Amino acid sequence: MNTLIEVKQLNKFFLQQQALKDVNCKIYEGETLAIVGHNGAGKSTLVNILTGTYGQTSGDLIIDGSIQDENYNVHVANQQGIRAIFQELSLCPNLSVLENMRVFHPSLNGKNWKKEAEERIMDTLDTIFPGHDVHPDDIIEDLSLGNRQIVEIAKAFTSVDHPHRLVILDEPTSALDHQTSEQLIAYLNALQGKKVSCIYISHLLDEVLACSNRILAMKDGVNVGILETKEATRDKIIEMMGEAKPLKSQTAKVEGTAKKDFDPNKMVVEPLSASDDVKRIKVAKGEVIGLTGLAGHGQTDLLLNLFGWRRNSEYKIEGPVTFLPGDRQTDGVFPRWSIVKNLTLQVYNKLKKLMLIDTHKETEAAAKWKKIIDIKSASLGANILSLSGGNQQKVLFARCLESSSPIVLMDDPTRGVDVGTKEEIYKLIIQESAKGRSFVWYTTEMDELQYCDRIYVFKSGKILAELAGSEATEEEILKSSF
């Protein structure tokens, strides 16, 4: 294969912190290279150097055999055909799908620009995601998170000025349901051997194995090894990353996942009005309830209704609730605040000293969770946006568990979180549920449903099936989703 891009002895420092250490790798024309590693391993820093967002501190970036100089930037990368699809979306939320195309492809101009933009973006959407329900005039902020993600993906694979030669996908399926994720993987596999190369970054190892040619593992800013995908297994990848061995089957659950007895006398959530044709959610004390089905079919709407239960009369809820949102940038983090402030903002009543916040207690609370859930940051006083997306998600999860709310609502809480941290999150959920805390958990990952006591399957805003978590199979869930 021809080498499209090569990095040699790449180093990157942020002040005194070294994010990349002597990284070497090649990206071949027509291949999909997967990059795996825990949060903070250096994956995003490498991506930002490839796309021209950051310059390297030392080392060489070589494209088509030419070493790039200090003038290499986002504009030059785009001219070279290098695009990126970020987990934190780059779309302008107040603009339509077509207007976003024009922002990112300014050569779309003249009185017929809308027609050309529509043809290009809709053709790409139809090719990658057949059966999608996105329209060219849809405003981005009105779309579901999953539909925003597919627009972001289609935008990167749409060429106007310069043909795309390398598309970097950073956790591209984190907001997608099972069916849409499979459509993307099928499209990437169809590209292999052609002119377009891809870098696929994901914590979902089954996806990595399904769509890549080679797998690069990173840890603490170092590339620790490369595997040919045909020779790779989940265990080999995890061993290379230095993670703890994951739980892989429903028979290998962590301690405490034994089936709970459903006690109708200990309801913490139940409907106040019943409907003959729609099953309504009920949650007992200490239960973990899973919500599934195709994305955008009412799961998040239900969570928001439960969170805002004081403003409607549909549900009886015993006690306060806390909510971990799916779109952390829009609904989760306070971007001007520190990590400490973001983590402790729900528990100021516990941190008060007279009329003021006791900063010592505040720091102690954050430090406790930094250790428990391994938040990778040199300083808890740093801005929340200094963290990788996965570490930001850890802060939001810790915020919910630090609160005293007996009911925790979670909208895809492990989105963008590494394998080892997921296991810690699962254990914490099980431990907290054993103490009587209840969870209502929407997840796009089928494997996570094994940790739920009961599962509700959604379609078109309705709950069509209720399944026992220990007995539900992927086939049964998918059958109920269509």
Side-chain angles (χ1 to χ4, degrees):
M1 290 189 201
N2 296 326
T3 300
L4 175 62
I5 294 177
E6 182 177 5
V7 296
K8 286 185 176 181
Q9 298 295 302
L10 210 62
N11 290 277
K12 179 62 180 178
F13 283 86
F14 294 98
L15 299 177
Q16 301 301 313
Q17 185 173 352
Q18 189 169 7
L20 294 179
K21 305 172 186 176
D22 297 324
V23 172
N24 296 279
C25 74
K26 291 182 179 180
I27 301 154
Y28 298 115
E29 190 177 80
E31 78 159 343
T32 296
L33 173 70
I35 303 180
V36 297
H38 56 72
N39 296 120
K43 306 184 300 293
S44 296
T45 303
L46 178 59
V47 167
N48 280 306
I49 289 174
L50 292 174
T51 57
T53 306
Y54 300 156
Q56 66 268 33
T57 305
S58 64
D60 293 325
L61 171 61
I62 305 167
I63 301 176
D64 291 326
S66 300
I67 298 176
Q68 304 302 301
D69 60 23
E70 65 276 5
N71 295 318
Y72 184 77
N73 56 29
V74 173
H75 179 66
V76 175
N78 190 52
Q79 288 181 325
Q80 300 270 18
I82 298 173
R83 313 277 181 78
I85 298 160
F86 292 104
Q87 186 180 357
E88 313 302 343
L89 305 182
S90 63
L91 301 169
C92 301
N94 60 323
L95 301 181
S96 70
V97 173
L98 292 186
E99 289 165 342
N100 269 275
M101 274 292 291
R102 189 173 185 183
V103 168
F104 292 98
H105 298 286
S107 63
L108 287 170
N109 52 37
K111 60 182 180 181
N112 292 321
W113 75 267
K114 282 192 174 183
K115 181 180 179 182
E116 183 181 358
E118 180 174 344
E119 287 175 353
R120 290 179 182 271
I121 188 67
M122 298 311 291
D123 181 62
T124 307
L125 279 166
D126 293 341
T127 300
I128 305 176
F129 303 106
H132 68 86
D133 59 353
V134 174
H135 302 285
D137 293 322
D138 286 343
I139 303 300
I140 295 299
E141 64 186 358
D142 294 337
L143 296 176
S144 68
L145 185 58
N147 277 343
R148 277 180 266 168
Q149 185 76 60
I150 72 170
V151 172
E152 178 91 2
I153 292 167
K155 175 176 66 69
F157 280 104
T158 302
S159 292
V160 178
D161 310 353
H162 310 286
H164 52 278
R165 302 175 65 209
L166 173 66
V167 179
I168 303 168
L169 301 96
D170 187 0
E171 299 288 353
T173 65
S174 61
L176 304 183
D177 60 36
H178 183 75
Q179 180 191 30
T180 316
S181 298
E182 288 194 333
Q183 289 176 332
L184 175 61
I185 289 169
Y187 178 73
L188 295 180
N189 286 331
L191 289 179
Q192 290 182 13
K194 299 181 180 178
K195 292 290 185 181
V196 179
S197 304
C198 295
I199 292 177
Y200 194 89
I201 300 172
S202 179
H203 295 301
L204 303 178
L205 300 186
D206 290 340
E207 290 184 3
V208 166
L209 291 166
C211 72
S212 65
N213 302 100
R214 295 183 301 139
I215 302 167
L216 166 67
M218 298 187 70
K219 182 180 180 183
D220 299 329
V222 178
N223 56 328
V224 292
I226 294 180
L227 282 173
E228 294 288 333
T229 303
K230 61 187 178 184
E231 299 171 358
T233 63
R234 287 175 57 91
D235 287 347
K236 281 184 180 179
I237 297 169
I238 291 167
E239 182 181 353
M240 204 161 53
M241 288 192 297
E243 299 283 6
K245 188 173 181 180
L247 306 166
K248 295 188 294 183
S249 70
Q250 293 193 10
T251 59
K253 297 180 185 180
V254 294
E255 186 179 353
T257 56
K259 190 179 187 306
K260 300 184 183 77
D261 293 327
F262 183 74
D263 188 344
N265 298 315
K266 293 184 178 180
M267 290 294 170
V268 294
V269 175
E270 56 185 326
L272 290 174
S273 58
S275 172
D276 293 335
D277 61 337
V278 180
K279 292 181 180 178
R280 305 301 296 274
I281 188 171
K282 294 182 179 181
V283 185
K285 182 179 180 181
E287 271 198 307
V288 181
I289 299 297
L291 311 180
T292 188
L294 299 179
H297 279 250
Q299 301 94 330
T300 299
D301 290 340
L302 173 64
L303 292 174
L304 292 173
N305 281 336
L306 295 176
F307 185 56
W309 64 278
R310 287 185 176 86
R311 296 190 296 274
N312 65 55
S313 56
E314 294 185 15
Y315 301 96
K316 177 184 177 183
I317 297 183
E318 298 291 339
V321 299
T322 183
F323 181 46
L324 199 167
D327 187 348
R328 62 175 162 264
Q329 292 304 309
T330 302
D331 304 320
V333 303
F334 289 78
R336 294 181 180 272
W337 288 13
S338 67
I339 299 165
V340 170
K341 297 292 184 187
N342 269 276
L343 197 152
T344 59
L345 65 90
Q346 289 189 21
V347 292
Y348 283 160
N349 60 317
K350 296 195 299 187
L351 305 176
K352 285 191 300 185
K353 186 176 183 180
L354 298 177
M355 298 298 292
L356 302 174
I357 302 299
D358 187 328
T359 55
H360 179 68
K361 287 183 179 179
E362 191 178 36
T363 304
E364 276 188 344
K368 174 187 72 177
W369 284 105
K370 182 180 189 295
K371 183 177 180 181
I372 291 173
I373 206 167
D374 191 25
I375 298 168
K376 295 188 181 297
S377 175
S379 170
L380 289 170
N383 183 276
I384 185 71
L385 298 184
S386 67
L387 298 178
S388 66
N391 278 291
Q392 290 178 33
Q393 194 76 356
K394 294 179 191 180
V395 172
L396 299 186
F397 184 74
R399 177 201 295 173
C400 290
L401 292 195
E402 178 66 13
S403 78
S404 57
S405 299
I407 304 167
V408 181
L409 310 174
M410 306 188 299
D411 191 357
D412 226 3
T414 63
R415 188 169 72 92
V417 174
D418 60 71
V419 175
T421 304
K422 282 182 180 181
E423 296 301 322
E424 292 304 316
I425 287 175
Y426 302 151
K427 288 177 184 177
L428 286 168
I429 290 171
I430 292 161
Q431 289 168 8
E432 291 293 311
S433 67
K435 297 174 185 175
R437 186 173 257 180
S438 303
F439 293 82
V440 184
W441 179 0
Y442 169 49
T443 174
T444 54
E445 296 185 34
M446 291 287 183
D447 287 349
E448 294 187 335
L449 295 172
Q450 66 174 297
Y451 298 100
C452 300
D453 299 299
R454 290 183 296 117
I455 298 167
Y456 290 97
V457 184
F458 280 68
K459 183 182 178 183
S460 302
K462 296 181 179 180
I463 298 170
L464 295 188
E466 179 183 333
L467 307 171
S470 59
E471 301 166 2
T473 64
E474 183 175 324
E475 181 182 2
E476 192 174 5
I477 291 167
L478 291 175
K479 190 187 299 181
S480 302
S481 301
F482 291 92

